[in-house]
Amino acid sequence: MNRILIAGIGNIFCGDDAFGCEVARALLRVPLPPEAQVFDFGIRSYDLAYALTEENEAVILIDATPRGELPGATCLLEIDPAALSNFGVLPPDGHSLNPVSVLQMAQNLGGVNGKIYLVGCEPAVLDSEEGEIGLSEPVRQAIPQAVEMIATLCREISGAKEKTTAGLAPA
Protein backbone atom coordinates (compact mmCIF):
# COMPACT_ATOMS: atom_id res chain seq x y z
CA MET A 1 0.00 0.00 0.00
CA ASN A 2 1.50 3.34 -1.00
CA ARG A 3 1.09 6.09 1.50
CA ILE A 4 -0.19 9.62 1.33
CA LEU A 5 2.12 11.80 3.41
CA ILE A 6 0.32 14.79 4.94
CA ALA A 7 2.80 17.26 6.38
CA GLY A 8 1.84 20.19 8.57
CA ILE A 9 4.63 22.77 8.59
CA GLY A 10 5.16 26.06 10.36
CA ASN A 11 6.44 27.80 13.46
CA ILE A 12 3.96 27.91 16.36
CA PHE A 13 5.74 30.99 17.76
CA CYS A 14 5.06 33.09 14.65
CA GLY A 15 1.33 33.75 14.56
CA ASP A 16 -0.36 32.41 11.43
CA ASP A 17 2.77 30.49 10.42
CA ALA A 18 1.33 27.78 12.71
CA PHE A 19 -1.51 27.13 10.22
CA GLY A 20 0.00 23.86 8.94
CA CYS A 21 0.57 22.59 12.49
CA GLU A 22 -3.00 23.39 13.54
CA VAL A 23 -4.53 21.76 10.45
CA ALA A 24 -2.41 18.63 11.03
CA ARG A 25 -3.71 18.48 14.60
CA ALA A 26 -7.31 18.85 13.37
CA LEU A 27 -6.79 16.10 10.75
CA LEU A 28 -5.99 13.61 13.51
CA ARG A 29 -9.69 13.76 14.49
CA VAL A 30 -10.98 13.13 10.94
CA PRO A 31 -11.45 9.73 9.27
CA LEU A 32 -8.96 9.44 6.42
CA PRO A 33 -8.04 6.52 4.16
CA PRO A 34 -5.68 4.07 5.92
CA GLU A 35 -2.76 4.99 3.66
CA ALA A 36 -2.94 8.65 4.75
CA GLN A 37 -0.40 9.50 7.44
CA VAL A 38 -0.50 12.89 9.14
CA PHE A 39 2.60 14.46 10.70
CA ASP A 40 3.25 17.86 12.26
CA PHE A 41 6.80 18.60 11.08
CA GLY A 42 6.80 22.12 12.52
CA ILE A 43 10.16 23.61 11.50
CA ARG A 44 12.03 20.29 11.20
CA SER A 45 13.31 20.70 7.62
CA TYR A 46 15.59 17.68 7.58
CA ASP A 47 12.95 15.30 8.95
CA LEU A 48 10.50 16.40 6.27
CA ALA A 49 13.12 16.19 3.51
CA TYR A 50 13.88 12.57 4.39
CA ALA A 51 10.15 11.73 4.63
CA LEU A 52 9.67 13.17 1.15
CA THR A 53 12.19 10.69 -0.29
CA GLU A 54 10.22 7.68 0.96
CA GLU A 55 7.74 5.82 -1.24
CA ASN A 56 4.74 8.14 -1.33
CA GLU A 57 1.87 8.06 -3.75
CA ALA A 58 1.23 11.69 -2.88
CA VAL A 59 2.53 14.38 -0.54
CA ILE A 60 0.26 17.09 0.83
CA LEU A 61 2.09 20.00 2.42
CA ILE A 62 0.08 22.36 4.64
CA ASP A 63 1.46 25.84 5.22
CA ALA A 64 0.70 29.53 5.57
CA THR A 65 1.12 30.78 2.02
CA PRO A 66 1.25 34.53 1.33
CA ARG A 67 -0.24 35.11 -2.13
CA GLY A 68 -1.76 38.58 -1.80
CA GLU A 69 -5.28 37.33 -1.01
CA LEU A 70 -7.52 38.20 1.93
CA PRO A 71 -6.39 36.62 5.23
CA GLY A 72 -7.92 33.18 5.62
CA ALA A 73 -8.22 32.46 1.87
CA THR A 74 -7.24 28.85 1.21
CA CYS A 75 -5.77 27.33 -1.92
CA LEU A 76 -4.82 23.93 -3.30
CA LEU A 77 -1.81 23.86 -5.62
CA GLU A 78 -0.07 21.00 -7.38
CA ILE A 79 3.69 21.51 -7.32
CA ASP A 80 5.85 20.55 -10.28
CA PRO A 81 9.18 19.24 -8.90
CA ALA A 82 10.90 20.23 -12.16
CA ALA A 83 10.06 23.89 -11.46
CA LEU A 84 11.93 23.91 -8.14
CA SER A 85 15.17 24.91 -9.86
CA ASN A 86 13.50 28.18 -10.94
CA PHE A 87 13.75 29.42 -7.34
CA GLY A 88 17.54 29.16 -7.08
CA VAL A 89 19.11 27.39 -4.11
CA LEU A 90 17.42 28.31 -0.85
CA PRO A 91 19.39 27.33 2.29
CA PRO A 92 17.57 25.61 5.17
CA ASP A 93 16.76 27.85 8.15
CA GLY A 94 16.81 26.50 11.71
CA HIS A 95 13.93 28.77 12.77
CA SER A 96 11.53 28.29 9.89
CA LEU A 97 10.70 25.79 7.19
CA ASN A 98 10.51 26.96 3.61
CA PRO A 99 8.73 24.31 1.50
CA VAL A 100 10.80 25.13 -1.58
CA SER A 101 14.13 24.64 0.23
CA VAL A 102 12.90 21.37 1.77
CA LEU A 103 11.73 20.05 -1.61
CA GLN A 104 15.10 21.02 -3.11
CA MET A 105 16.88 19.25 -0.26
CA ALA A 106 14.75 16.13 -0.80
CA GLN A 107 15.58 16.20 -4.53
CA ASN A 108 19.28 16.18 -3.59
CA LEU A 109 18.75 13.28 -1.15
CA GLY A 110 17.29 11.02 -3.80
CA GLY A 111 14.21 12.69 -5.18
CA VAL A 112 10.62 13.26 -4.18
CA ASN A 113 8.27 10.38 -4.83
CA GLY A 114 4.63 10.91 -5.74
CA LYS A 115 2.57 13.94 -6.65
CA ILE A 116 3.10 17.01 -4.50
CA TYR A 117 0.28 19.25 -3.35
CA LEU A 118 0.25 22.37 -1.19
CA VAL A 119 -2.77 23.38 0.84
CA GLY A 120 -2.12 26.97 1.79
CA CYS A 121 -3.81 29.73 3.69
CA GLU A 122 -3.26 33.47 3.35
CA PRO A 123 -1.86 34.65 6.69
CA ALA A 124 -2.83 37.86 8.49
CA VAL A 125 0.08 37.85 10.98
CA LEU A 126 3.44 36.29 10.16
CA ASP A 127 6.72 36.50 12.01
CA SER A 128 5.68 39.05 14.62
CA GLU A 129 8.47 40.45 16.78
CA GLU A 130 6.50 39.66 19.93
CA GLY A 131 6.63 35.91 19.18
CA GLU A 132 2.86 35.76 18.91
CA ILE A 133 1.41 32.36 19.68
CA GLY A 134 -1.93 31.49 18.13
CA LEU A 135 -3.67 32.04 14.84
CA SER A 136 -5.51 35.17 13.79
CA GLU A 137 -9.28 34.78 13.62
CA PRO A 138 -9.55 34.60 9.78
CA VAL A 139 -6.87 31.90 9.63
CA ARG A 140 -8.42 29.95 12.52
CA GLN A 141 -11.74 29.99 10.65
CA ALA A 142 -10.01 28.54 7.56
CA ILE A 143 -8.98 25.33 9.36
CA PRO A 144 -12.24 23.39 8.69
CA GLN A 145 -12.10 24.28 4.99
CA ALA A 146 -8.48 23.11 4.75
CA VAL A 147 -9.32 19.88 6.60
CA GLU A 148 -12.18 19.15 4.19
CA MET A 149 -9.99 20.01 1.20
CA ILE A 150 -7.33 17.54 2.38
CA ALA A 151 -9.83 14.80 3.28
CA THR A 152 -11.43 15.12 -0.17
CA LEU A 153 -8.05 15.02 -1.91
CA CYS A 154 -7.08 11.89 0.08
CA ARG A 155 -10.33 10.17 -0.89
CA GLU A 156 -9.77 11.09 -4.55
CA ILE A 157 -6.18 9.77 -4.50
CA SER A 158 -7.25 6.61 -2.68
CA GLY A 159 -10.25 6.10 -4.98
CA ALA A 160 -8.11 6.50 -8.12
CA LYS A 161 -5.72 3.88 -6.78
CA GLU A 162 -8.59 1.47 -6.04
CA LYS A 163 -9.93 1.86 -9.60
CA THR A 164 -6.47 1.18 -11.05
CA THR A 165 -5.85 -1.93 -8.94
CA ALA A 166 -9.39 -3.20 -9.54
CA GLY A 167 -8.64 -3.28 -13.26
CA LEU A 168 -5.55 -5.41 -12.58
CA ALA A 169 -7.35 -8.13 -10.64
CA PRO A 170 -7.10 -11.62 -12.14
CA ALA A 171 -10.19 -12.84 -13.98
Side-chain angles (χ1 to χ4, degrees), residues 75-100:
C75 63
L76 172 62
L77 306 170
E78 187 170 347
I79 298 173
D80 177 6
L84 294 173
S85 61
N86 296 342
F87 292 95
V89 177
L90 299 174
D93 180 346
H95 300 289
S96 67
L97 191 153
N98 179 318
V100 172

PDB file of all heavy atoms in Angstrom, residues 75-100:
ATOM      1  N   CYS A  75      -6.027  27.725  -0.541  1.00  0.00           N
ATOM      2  CA  CYS A  75      -5.765  27.330  -1.920  1.00  0.00           C
ATOM      3  C   CYS A  75      -5.207  25.908  -1.935  1.00  0.00           C
ATOM      4  O   CYS A  75      -4.656  25.427  -0.944  1.00  0.00           O
ATOM      5  CB  CYS A  75      -4.775  28.284  -2.590  1.00  0.00           C
ATOM      6  SG  CYS A  75      -3.140  28.308  -1.850  1.00  0.00           S
ATOM      7  N   LEU A  76      -5.391  25.243  -3.063  1.00  0.00           N
ATOM      8  CA  LEU A  76      -4.818  23.928  -3.304  1.00  0.00           C
ATOM      9  C   LEU A  76      -4.005  24.035  -4.584  1.00  0.00           C
ATOM     10  O   LEU A  76      -4.541  24.378  -5.639  1.00  0.00           O
ATOM     11  CB  LEU A  76      -5.910  22.867  -3.462  1.00  0.00           C
ATOM     12  CG  LEU A  76      -5.450  21.474  -3.909  1.00  0.00           C
ATOM     13  CD1 LEU A  76      -4.511  20.848  -2.892  1.00  0.00           C
ATOM     14  CD2 LEU A  76      -6.649  20.571  -4.160  1.00  0.00           C
ATOM     15  N   LEU A  77      -2.709  23.771  -4.474  1.00  0.00           N
ATOM     16  CA  LEU A  77      -1.809  23.864  -5.616  1.00  0.00           C
ATOM     17  C   LEU A  77      -1.118  22.527  -5.828  1.00  0.00           C
ATOM     18  O   LEU A  77      -0.777  21.847  -4.862  1.00  0.00           O
ATOM     19  CB  LEU A  77      -0.732  24.923  -5.368  1.00  0.00           C
ATOM     20  CG  LEU A  77      -1.209  26.322  -4.986  1.00  0.00           C
ATOM     21  CD1 LEU A  77      -0.027  27.175  -4.549  1.00  0.00           C
ATOM     22  CD2 LEU A  77      -1.919  26.962  -6.157  1.00  0.00           C
ATOM     23  N   GLU A  78      -0.914  22.151  -7.081  1.00  0.00           N
ATOM     24  CA  GLU A  78      -0.068  20.995  -7.378  1.00  0.00           C
ATOM     25  C   GLU A  78       1.298  21.545  -7.750  1.00  0.00           C
ATOM     26  O   GLU A  78       1.413  22.453  -8.573  1.00  0.00           O
ATOM     27  CB  GLU A  78      -0.641  20.151  -8.511  1.00  0.00           C
ATOM     28  CG  GLU A  78       0.150  18.874  -8.697  1.00  0.00           C
ATOM     29  CD  GLU A  78      -0.508  17.873  -9.640  1.00  0.00           C
ATOM     30  OE1 GLU A  78      -1.692  18.046  -9.971  1.00  0.00           O
ATOM     31  OE2 GLU A  78       0.177  16.923 -10.035  1.00  0.00           O
ATOM     32  N   ILE A  79       2.328  21.009  -7.124  1.00  0.00           N
ATOM     33  CA  ILE A  79       3.691  21.509  -7.317  1.00  0.00           C
ATOM     34  C   ILE A  79       4.417  20.617  -8.311  1.00  0.00           C
ATOM     35  O   ILE A  79       4.416  19.392  -8.178  1.00  0.00           O
ATOM     36  CB  ILE A  79       4.445  21.548  -5.974  1.00  0.00           C
ATOM     37  CG1 ILE A  79       3.745  22.514  -5.023  1.00  0.00           C
ATOM     38  CG2 ILE A  79       5.904  21.934  -6.176  1.00  0.00           C
ATOM     39  CD1 ILE A  79       4.289  22.525  -3.621  1.00  0.00           C
ATOM     40  N   ASP A  80       5.046  21.252  -9.284  1.00  0.00           N
ATOM     41  CA  ASP A  80       5.849  20.548 -10.276  1.00  0.00           C
ATOM     42  C   ASP A  80       7.294  20.502  -9.772  1.00  0.00           C
ATOM     43  O   ASP A  80       7.946  21.552  -9.698  1.00  0.00           O
ATOM     44  CB  ASP A  80       5.768  21.287 -11.616  1.00  0.00           C
ATOM     45  CG  ASP A  80       6.633  20.656 -12.689  1.00  0.00           C
ATOM     46  OD1 ASP A  80       7.216  19.575 -12.467  1.00  0.00           O
ATOM     47  OD2 ASP A  80       6.724  21.268 -13.776  1.00  0.00           O
ATOM     48  N   PRO A  81       7.810  19.321  -9.412  1.00  0.00           N
ATOM     49  CA  PRO A  81       9.182  19.241  -8.900  1.00  0.00           C
ATOM     50  C   PRO A  81      10.221  19.794  -9.869  1.00  0.00           C
ATOM     51  O   PRO A  81      11.245  20.323  -9.453  1.00  0.00           O
ATOM     52  CB  PRO A  81       9.408  17.744  -8.675  1.00  0.00           C
ATOM     53  CG  PRO A  81       8.066  17.140  -8.607  1.00  0.00           C
ATOM     54  CD  PRO A  81       7.162  18.020  -9.435  1.00  0.00           C
ATOM     55  N   ALA A  82       9.960  19.719 -11.173  1.00  0.00           N
ATOM     56  CA  ALA A  82      10.905  20.235 -12.160  1.00  0.00           C
ATOM     57  C   ALA A  82      11.036  21.754 -12.067  1.00  0.00           C
ATOM     58  O   ALA A  82      12.066  22.316 -12.439  1.00  0.00           O
ATOM     59  CB  ALA A  82      10.473  19.833 -13.559  1.00  0.00           C
ATOM     60  N   ALA A  83      10.026  22.427 -11.556  1.00  0.00           N
ATOM     61  CA  ALA A  83      10.057  23.887 -11.458  1.00  0.00           C
ATOM     62  C   ALA A  83      10.827  24.383 -10.236  1.00  0.00           C
ATOM     63  O   ALA A  83      11.050  25.581 -10.097  1.00  0.00           O
ATOM     64  CB  ALA A  83       8.633  24.433 -11.423  1.00  0.00           C
ATOM     65  N   LEU A  84      11.239  23.490  -9.354  1.00  0.00           N
ATOM     66  CA  LEU A  84      11.932  23.911  -8.138  1.00  0.00           C
ATOM     67  C   LEU A  84      13.248  24.621  -8.423  1.00  0.00           C
ATOM     68  O   LEU A  84      13.673  25.484  -7.668  1.00  0.00           O
ATOM     69  CB  LEU A  84      12.175  22.714  -7.217  1.00  0.00           C
ATOM     70  CG  LEU A  84      10.920  22.077  -6.630  1.00  0.00           C
ATOM     71  CD1 LEU A  84      11.275  20.808  -5.882  1.00  0.00           C
ATOM     72  CD2 LEU A  84      10.200  23.062  -5.735  1.00  0.00           C
ATOM     73  N   SER A  85      13.892  24.272  -9.521  1.00  0.00           N
ATOM     74  CA  SER A  85      15.166  24.909  -9.857  1.00  0.00           C
ATOM     75  C   SER A  85      14.988  26.377 -10.244  1.00  0.00           C
ATOM     76  O   SER A  85      15.940  27.153 -10.209  1.00  0.00           O
ATOM     77  CB  SER A  85      15.868  24.147 -10.978  1.00  0.00           C
ATOM     78  OG  SER A  85      15.060  24.151 -12.137  1.00  0.00           O
ATOM     79  N   ASN A  86      13.764  26.783 -10.581  1.00  0.00           N
ATOM     80  CA  ASN A  86      13.498  28.182 -10.936  1.00  0.00           C
ATOM     81  C   ASN A  86      13.678  29.133  -9.754  1.00  0.00           C
ATOM     82  O   ASN A  86      13.797  30.333  -9.936  1.00  0.00           O
ATOM     83  CB  ASN A  86      12.073  28.345 -11.476  1.00  0.00           C
ATOM     84  CG  ASN A  86      11.860  27.594 -12.764  1.00  0.00           C
ATOM     85  OD1 ASN A  86      12.804  27.221 -13.442  1.00  0.00           O
ATOM     86  ND2 ASN A  86      10.603  27.342 -13.088  1.00  0.00           N
ATOM     87  N   PHE A  87      13.663  28.586  -8.530  1.00  0.00           N
ATOM     88  CA  PHE A  87      13.752  29.417  -7.335  1.00  0.00           C
ATOM     89  C   PHE A  87      15.184  29.663  -6.883  1.00  0.00           C
ATOM     90  O   PHE A  87      15.407  30.366  -5.918  1.00  0.00           O
ATOM     91  CB  PHE A  87      12.976  28.764  -6.182  1.00  0.00           C
ATOM     92  CG  PHE A  87      11.498  28.746  -6.405  1.00  0.00           C
ATOM     93  CD1 PHE A  87      10.883  27.636  -6.955  1.00  0.00           C
ATOM     94  CD2 PHE A  87      10.720  29.840  -6.075  1.00  0.00           C
ATOM     95  CE1 PHE A  87       9.516  27.611  -7.173  1.00  0.00           C
ATOM     96  CE2 PHE A  87       9.354  29.823  -6.291  1.00  0.00           C
ATOM     97  CZ  PHE A  87       8.751  28.710  -6.836  1.00  0.00           C
ATOM     98  N   GLY A  88      16.164  29.067  -7.550  1.00  0.00           N
ATOM     99  CA  GLY A  88      17.537  29.160  -7.076  1.00  0.00           C
ATOM    100  C   GLY A  88      17.688  28.292  -5.842  1.00  0.00           C
ATOM    101  O   GLY A  88      16.730  27.683  -5.370  1.00  0.00           O
ATOM    102  N   VAL A  89      18.870  28.224  -5.291  1.00  0.00           N
ATOM    103  CA  VAL A  89      19.106  27.394  -4.108  1.00  0.00           C
ATOM    104  C   VAL A  89      18.753  28.200  -2.866  1.00  0.00           C
ATOM    105  O   VAL A  89      19.286  29.280  -2.640  1.00  0.00           O
ATOM    106  CB  VAL A  89      20.573  26.922  -4.051  1.00  0.00           C
ATOM    107  CG1 VAL A  89      20.821  26.132  -2.787  1.00  0.00           C
ATOM    108  CG2 VAL A  89      20.909  26.104  -5.280  1.00  0.00           C
ATOM    109  N   LEU A  90      17.822  27.665  -2.089  1.00  0.00           N
ATOM    110  CA  LEU A  90      17.424  28.310  -0.848  1.00  0.00           C
ATOM    111  C   LEU A  90      17.970  27.494   0.321  1.00  0.00           C
ATOM    112  O   LEU A  90      17.647  26.314   0.454  1.00  0.00           O
ATOM    113  CB  LEU A  90      15.897  28.386  -0.746  1.00  0.00           C
ATOM    114  CG  LEU A  90      15.198  29.181  -1.843  1.00  0.00           C
ATOM    115  CD1 LEU A  90      13.689  29.043  -1.707  1.00  0.00           C
ATOM    116  CD2 LEU A  90      15.598  30.636  -1.777  1.00  0.00           C
ATOM    117  N   PRO A  91      18.806  28.089   1.184  1.00  0.00           N
ATOM    118  CA  PRO A  91      19.388  27.334   2.291  1.00  0.00           C
ATOM    119  C   PRO A  91      18.346  27.039   3.372  1.00  0.00           C
ATOM    120  O   PRO A  91      17.432  27.841   3.587  1.00  0.00           O
ATOM    121  CB  PRO A  91      20.481  28.257   2.822  1.00  0.00           C
ATOM    122  CG  PRO A  91      20.023  29.632   2.453  1.00  0.00           C
ATOM    123  CD  PRO A  91      19.258  29.476   1.166  1.00  0.00           C
ATOM    124  N   PRO A  92      18.474  25.897   4.062  1.00  0.00           N
ATOM    125  CA  PRO A  92      17.567  25.613   5.174  1.00  0.00           C
ATOM    126  C   PRO A  92      17.774  26.628   6.300  1.00  0.00           C
ATOM    127  O   PRO A  92      18.867  27.136   6.492  1.00  0.00           O
ATOM    128  CB  PRO A  92      17.971  24.207   5.632  1.00  0.00           C
ATOM    129  CG  PRO A  92      18.905  23.680   4.617  1.00  0.00           C
ATOM    130  CD  PRO A  92      19.405  24.820   3.811  1.00  0.00           C
ATOM    131  N   ASP A  93      16.721  26.911   7.039  1.00  0.00           N
ATOM    132  CA  ASP A  93      16.761  27.852   8.147  1.00  0.00           C
ATOM    133  C   ASP A  93      16.327  27.101   9.404  1.00  0.00           C
ATOM    134  O   ASP A  93      15.287  26.449   9.410  1.00  0.00           O
ATOM    135  CB  ASP A  93      15.815  29.013   7.847  1.00  0.00           C
ATOM    136  CG  ASP A  93      15.764  30.062   8.944  1.00  0.00           C
ATOM    137  OD1 ASP A  93      16.237  29.805  10.067  1.00  0.00           O
ATOM    138  OD2 ASP A  93      15.245  31.155   8.673  1.00  0.00           O
ATOM    139  N   GLY A  94      17.110  27.210  10.467  1.00  0.00           N
ATOM    140  CA  GLY A  94      16.807  26.503  11.708  1.00  0.00           C
ATOM    141  C   GLY A  94      15.600  27.023  12.449  1.00  0.00           C
ATOM    142  O   GLY A  94      15.126  26.392  13.383  1.00  0.00           O
ATOM    143  N   HIS A  95      15.058  28.189  12.050  1.00  0.00           N
ATOM    144  CA  HIS A  95      13.929  28.769  12.769  1.00  0.00           C
ATOM    145  C   HIS A  95      12.633  28.775  11.962  1.00  0.00           C
ATOM    146  O   HIS A  95      11.603  29.177  12.447  1.00  0.00           O
ATOM    147  CB  HIS A  95      14.266  30.211  13.188  1.00  0.00           C
ATOM    148  CG  HIS A  95      15.461  30.269  14.071  1.00  0.00           C
ATOM    149  ND1 HIS A  95      15.461  29.819  15.364  1.00  0.00           N
ATOM    150  CD2 HIS A  95      16.729  30.696  13.824  1.00  0.00           C
ATOM    151  CE1 HIS A  95      16.658  29.971  15.893  1.00  0.00           C
ATOM    152  NE2 HIS A  95      17.451  30.498  14.977  1.00  0.00           N
ATOM    153  N   SER A  96      12.725  28.357  10.726  1.00  0.00           N
ATOM    154  CA  SER A  96      11.528  28.290   9.893  1.00  0.00           C
ATOM    155  C   SER A  96      11.705  27.153   8.892  1.00  0.00           C
ATOM    156  O   SER A  96      12.771  26.568   8.789  1.00  0.00           O
ATOM    157  CB  SER A  96      11.286  29.617   9.160  1.00  0.00           C
ATOM    158  OG  SER A  96      12.310  29.840   8.217  1.00  0.00           O
ATOM    159  N   LEU A  97      10.642  26.852   8.183  1.00  0.00           N
ATOM    160  CA  LEU A  97      10.696  25.793   7.194  1.00  0.00           C
ATOM    161  C   LEU A  97      10.120  26.353   5.906  1.00  0.00           C
ATOM    162  O   LEU A  97       8.937  26.670   5.846  1.00  0.00           O
ATOM    163  CB  LEU A  97       9.895  24.587   7.680  1.00  0.00           C
ATOM    164  CG  LEU A  97      10.060  23.298   6.890  1.00  0.00           C
ATOM    165  CD1 LEU A  97       9.788  22.106   7.782  1.00  0.00           C
ATOM    166  CD2 LEU A  97       9.183  23.256   5.687  1.00  0.00           C
ATOM    167  N   ASN A  98      10.946  26.488   4.910  1.00  0.00           N
ATOM    168  CA  ASN A  98      10.513  26.956   3.606  1.00  0.00           C
ATOM    169  C   ASN A  98      10.260  25.725   2.734  1.00  0.00           C
ATOM    170  O   ASN A  98      11.187  24.958   2.476  1.00  0.00           O
ATOM    171  CB  ASN A  98      11.596  27.845   2.989  1.00  0.00           C
ATOM    172  CG  ASN A  98      11.218  28.354   1.624  1.00  0.00           C
ATOM    173  OD1 ASN A  98      10.675  27.633   0.797  1.00  0.00           O
ATOM    174  ND2 ASN A  98      11.506  29.612   1.386  1.00  0.00           N
ATOM    175  N   PRO A  99       9.019  25.507   2.280  1.00  0.00           N
ATOM    176  CA  PRO A  99       8.726  24.312   1.497  1.00  0.00           C
ATOM    177  C   PRO A  99       9.614  24.144   0.266  1.00  0.00           C
ATOM    178  O   PRO A  99      10.002  23.028  -0.073  1.00  0.00           O
ATOM    179  CB  PRO A  99       7.266  24.482   1.092  1.00  0.00           C
ATOM    180  CG  PRO A  99       6.695  25.416   2.088  1.00  0.00           C
ATOM    181  CD  PRO A  99       7.825  26.316   2.499  1.00  0.00           C
ATOM    182  N   VAL A 100       9.973  25.233  -0.384  1.00  0.00           N
ATOM    183  CA  VAL A 100      10.802  25.127  -1.581  1.00  0.00           C
ATOM    184  C   VAL A 100      12.180  24.582  -1.221  1.00  0.00           C
ATOM    185  O   VAL A 100      12.688  23.672  -1.875  1.00  0.00           O
ATOM    186  CB  VAL A 100      10.915  26.488  -2.309  1.00  0.00           C
ATOM    187  CG1 VAL A 100      11.923  26.421  -3.441  1.00  0.00           C
ATOM    188  CG2 VAL A 100       9.553  26.918  -2.833  1.00  0.00           C
TER     189      VAL A 100
END
